[in-house]
Amino acid sequence: MIKILLQSAVLVSLLLISSPIVSSGQELDTEVQPSWWSSLPMTPLMTAPGVGETLPKGWTVVGGPANFEFTTNAKGQVEVHGYGSAPQNAFLTSAATYGDFLLEFEVFIDKDGGNSGVQIRSAIDGSRMFGYQIEIDPSDRSWSAGLYDEGRRGWLASLQDNVNAQEAFAPGAWNHYKILAIGPRIRTWINGVPAVDHVDFADARGQFGFQVHSGKCDVRWRNIQIADLGERTETVLLDASQRLGFHVTPADGLSTQVDGWRMNQAGVRIESVHSLADIPSVLTIKVNFGQGTLFIELGDVVSGPGYSLRIPGPLGSPETPGTIRVLRFADQLRVMVDDVPLILGPPDIDGALPMMLSGALDTNAVIHQVTINLPSTMVSAWMKKTQAAWLKQSKSSAIENGPTKTETQNVEP
């Protein structure tokens, strides 16, 4: 349920309102363990080239020139050897595009093997490829598994401040990469060590590309596996032409405009059948207002658990509305205003999450659009299956071991 309600209360910071039965000293939960994606079925991303063929079916080389050779090892895994010394980057590129996915592979590159990377959610422009790149860096800098934007913005998330991930990569040995892309959130691990956890909205889907960098480069990949997590859906809940599934109180609480709906400064309440579900989702609100304050409440802020935060004006303009995004993941909730992150919410709120958007008095806001972006039904089903199994196991363990002293103290009489 989404609620939009005018109120006069002024919130000065992000607050977490906890349930009364939670002890103030209790640690916040983390992502359900094991993670819902940890046991996804994986399949090979590419097969070996057919008889008389030089490339796997559905794959082409962009840029270069460079050499790509393919062998099948004793385990039946396709091993790719890329090498060259051309003045232009080369990419072994998939024809298929992918949105949400889990990708794993092993890579081997010597200290003096040059530089490489793997493109995800990328596109081809003539003889070059651009988009997100997961770095392969055997140099002393060692930013392997960092996130780079090839051909556009450059570094999005380096490993400059992540010494553990820098030290995890070993030149001259096989290194294991894991890349999880769910909606706008891209996460990487190198040999099991977390490297990058970054949110970006430039590209939701695209092609894969295995890079032989310009200049001297000699790199190998093997055991390339993917779990294709399907298509996400974007639903418009409110814009200038519709108020999908909303009930407005009072009836004139929103007045229609050419480009959206103006919030009545005397008060308005909007309720929707669409809740912020307990799955990886992005709720986007495009709004503009000058002076004043916009408030967002998530969950039950009266008795808990819930969040309360405020967004001071000005935000956006009639020509270019501001963007508020509420991103929900299994381990945390994030709020971003014009792509600038606010304080991360604690990860212990689960279940369907009601939301309230409100404005202080004298806040003359126009809501241009409200949309929600949801994962595929496959992801939702897999999350529910994993969480149900984990809860069943936890209950079994609790019955066998009995309540701990801490658990006993946290139960209300």
Side-chain angles (χ1 to χ4, degrees):
M1 179 184 293
I2 300 173
K3 303 177 182 178
I4 301 178
L5 174 66
L6 184 72
Q7 62 178 24
S8 59
V10 177
L11 304 177
V12 297
S13 62
L14 175 70
L15 303 174
L16 168 67
I17 294 86
S18 299
S19 169
I21 66 171
V22 177
S23 167
S24 60
Q26 185 177 358
E27 293 184 2
L28 297 174
D29 294 336
T30 57
E31 187 171 358
V32 172
Q33 296 295 329
S35 302
W36 66 268
W37 44 265
S38 61
S39 57
L40 288 169
M42 309 284 286
T43 58
L45 180 62
M46 68 178 72
T47 57
V51 177
E53 301 291 334
T54 58
L55 294 175
K57 183 178 180 180
W59 291 76
T60 58
V61 176
V62 173
N67 302 292
F68 289 94
E69 297 177 351
F70 304 85
T71 57
T72 303
N73 63 22
K75 296 181 179 180
Q77 302 165 350
V78 175
E79 185 172 312
V80 184
H81 182 198
Y83 60 97
S85 56
Q88 183 181 6
N89 294 339
F91 301 91
L92 175 65
T93 308
S94 69
T97 62
Y98 299 83
D100 288 3
F101 60 85
L102 174 65
L103 179 71
E104 297 190 35
F105 59 86
E106 296 173 87
V107 64
F108 184 104
I109 189 169
D110 285 316
K111 183 80 171 179
D112 60 352
N115 181 276
S116 182
V118 173
Q119 298 292 135
I120 65 171
R121 291 180 175 174
S122 296
I124 297 170
D125 180 11
S127 62
R128 69 186 185 97
M129 197 171 196
F130 65 90
Y132 301 128
Q133 180 184 121
I134 310 303
E135 181 78 357
I136 298 172
D137 178 14
S139 73
D140 291 336
R141 183 183 64 176
S142 194
W143 285 359
S144 290
L147 181 62
Y148 185 80
D149 193 0
E150 173 76 13
R152 295 188 299 193
R153 296 168 291 173
W155 283 103
L156 301 178
S158 74
L159 301 190
Q160 184 173 359
D161 299 321
N162 190 341
V163 177
N164 289 337
Q166 292 177 31
E167 295 177 345
F169 186 83
W174 285 103
N175 295 271
H176 181 264
Y177 274 63
K178 183 182 293 183
I179 304 164
L180 181 67
I182 303 292
R185 187 180 184 187
I186 299 173
R187 303 165 71 182
T188 68
W189 292 258
I190 179 69
N191 292 324
V193 177
V196 164
D197 187 346
H198 185 75
V199 170
D200 192 84
F201 300 93
D203 299 296
R205 66 179 299 110
Q207 297 162 269
F208 288 117
F210 292 79
Q211 182 193 53
V212 171
H213 202 282
S214 60
K216 180 184 176 182
C217 181
D218 193 313
V219 60
R220 298 173 185 267
W221 296 272
R222 73 180 184 189
N223 196 19
I224 308 169
Q225 303 281 321
I226 187 170
D228 184 354
L229 300 179
E231 296 278 349
R232 300 181 69 85
T233 57
E234 180 104 355
T235 301
V236 177
L237 305 180
L238 182 149
D239 64 9
S241 62
Q242 65 177 337
R243 298 191 315 214
L244 182 62
F246 283 91
H247 304 285
V248 181
T249 306
D252 61 352
L254 290 180
S255 56
T256 183
Q257 295 199 162
V258 174
D259 56 349
W261 299 85
R262 182 174 298 279
M263 295 175 63
N264 191 325
Q265 290 177 275
V268 61
R269 177 186 180 95
I270 300 178
E271 296 187 16
S272 171
V273 297
H274 299 275
S275 62
L276 195 59
D278 193 12
I279 53 178
S281 58
V282 181
L283 181 74
T284 301
I285 304 166
K286 292 188 178 295
V287 61
N288 78 274
F289 62 100
Q291 293 182 337
T293 303
L294 208 63
F295 301 99
I296 295 179
E297 295 183 3
L298 303 165
D300 186 348
V301 299
V302 177
S303 57
Y307 308 91
S308 294
L309 65 151
R310 69 173 190 170
I311 301 173
L315 178 62
S317 66
E319 296 77 22
T320 308
T323 302
I324 303 169
R325 289 186 171 101
V326 180
L327 299 88
R328 195 166 193 202
F329 305 106
D331 60 327
Q332 61 185 227
L333 182 142
R334 299 186 186 184
V335 179
M336 305 184 75
V337 179
D338 284 343
D339 294 345
V340 177
L342 301 184
I343 302 170
L344 296 183
D348 67 334
I349 297 181
D350 55 12
L353 201 61
M355 191 194 82
M356 180 175 73
L357 176 68
S358 60
L361 293 174
D362 300 325
T363 301
N364 194 8
V366 175
I367 303 172
H368 295 259
Q369 190 181 65
V370 179
T371 62
I372 189 164
N373 182 277
L374 299 172
S376 67
T377 54
M378 177 181 64
V379 170
S380 301
W382 194 265
M383 288 187 68
K384 291 178 181 178
K385 177 182 177 181
T386 304
Q387 291 171 349
W390 182 82
L391 290 173
K392 182 178 180 180
Q393 181 179 357
S394 298
K395 290 179 180 179
S396 297
S397 298
I399 292 174
E400 292 177 2
N401 300 326
T404 64
K405 182 178 180 181
T406 303
E407 289 171 340
T408 303
Q409 291 175 341
N410 285 341
V411 175
E412 284 191 323

